[in-house]
Amino acid sequence: MCAHVVVAEDDAKQAELIRRYLEHESHSVILVQDGRAALDQIRRRLPDLLVLDVMMPRLDGLDVCRTIRSEAELEGLPVLMLTARSTKDDLLLGLDLGADDYLTKPFSPRELMARIRSLLRRSGRTQAASGAAGAAPGGNLLTAGPVTVDPARHEVWAHGTQISCTPGEFRLLEVLAGRPGQVFTRSQILERLHGFDRYVTTRTVDVHVMNLRKKIEQNPRRPMCLVTVYGVGYKLSDDIRPSRPEDVRHEP
């Protein structure tokens, strides 16, 4: 399945290279050169993926990502961030703001395309082509306590209320909800997430957990659903009463 991709990159040669590789794989591409134009474009037509450079005029990539994650209509948009900065603090800041993957310049176009394919698969944008979903919508629900994950619909509920997740957050919940009560180490979670820079990935897991707790916990400072097993890793607790089917609210 082809995807609609917005590329926000102020380097014209870099942007053209990315466009050519995306179009070679049959994706449609819109190029913009600054952060404000990126927001205008994705609000006009929500893409399947945003490739976002950090250093741009008018509004930088970090502010664009922050804005996307604050708007309900845009919150689930997969974001692949590009930057010439390579320090851990810069990488973690991008992930903390909601980027789903982070690639440092200079990069191999083949690696970029592999990251894009991985993000599109994880976000459910290519399910119809790959046949990976397997089940009818809503057919195979994963439940752990008050958290319900529907892989086919790519939807999540917590305490009976549907919530929005980034692709990385969704995949983490899908992994944990598949085996409720089982403790996963950061490395085990990382193996199932794919696509993140290896030397920052364990911290990446922590960032996703922190962001998810704000969405699924009634009190994020005292998590009862997504809990830490100190010295080991994380699990979704199966000791809390699960959401009943009638509590799950399907959006029209």
Side-chain angles (χ1 to χ4, degrees), residues 27-177:
H27 302 304
S28 65
V29 184
I30 297 292
L31 300 180
V32 295
Q33 295 184 330
D34 65 76
R36 292 194 185 279
L39 287 175
D40 289 343
Q41 183 60 47
I42 64 179
R43 285 166 175 158
R44 188 176 303 118
R45 178 189 174 188
L46 186 65
D48 298 303
L49 176 72
L50 173 63
V51 178
L52 179 65
D53 186 33
V54 171
M55 300 300 292
M56 290 189 299
R58 299 184 70 192
L59 195 68
D60 68 26
L62 296 175
D63 285 333
V64 171
C65 196
R66 184 182 290 109
T67 300
I68 288 171
R69 296 311 183 213
S70 69
E71 296 186 13
E73 297 81 2
L74 308 179
E75 188 179 7
L77 172 63
V79 177
L80 171 60
M81 194 167 280
L82 305 176
T83 182
R85 300 173 176 176
S86 58
T87 68
K88 287 187 177 182
D89 286 344
D90 291 326
L91 298 175
L92 293 174
L93 177 58
L95 293 169
D96 193 30
L97 290 175
D100 298 288
D101 203 353
Y102 208 110
L103 193 58
T104 56
K105 300 179 180 180
F107 53 80
S108 159
R110 291 180 62 186
E111 180 181 5
L112 173 65
M113 295 309 300
R115 299 287 188 100
I116 287 173
R117 286 191 294 269
S118 178
L119 266 180
L120 289 172
R121 283 195 303 269
R122 295 190 338 245
S123 66
R125 262 66 177 184
T126 57
Q127 272 189 357
S130 66
N140 292 326
L141 299 182
L142 305 175
T143 300
V147 177
T148 300
V149 179
D150 187 336
R153 291 179 180 268
H154 207 268
E155 295 175 349
V156 175
W157 299 271
H159 304 282
T161 300
Q162 188 172 357
I163 65 171
S164 297
C165 293
T166 68
E169 292 168 356
F170 180 87
R171 181 60 181 146
L172 190 150
L173 280 179
E174 187 179 20
V175 168
L176 298 184

Side-chain angles (χ1 to χ4, degrees), residues 168-169 171-173 175-176 182-194 196 198 201-202 204-206 208-209 226-227 232-236:
E169 292 168 356
R171 181 60 181 146
L172 190 150
L173 280 179
V175 168
L176 298 184
Q182 176 175 322
V183 181
F184 288 83
T185 67
R186 291 171 177 83
S187 296
Q188 289 173 328
I189 294 172
L190 190 56
E191 289 175 3
R192 292 160 172 81
L193 290 181
H194 306 295
F196 293 101
R198 292 292 178 184
T201 47
T202 54
T204 298
V205 172
D206 295 338
H208 282 317
V209 168
L226 180 47
V227 299
V232 184
Y234 299 106
K235 70 175 181 177
L236 272 177

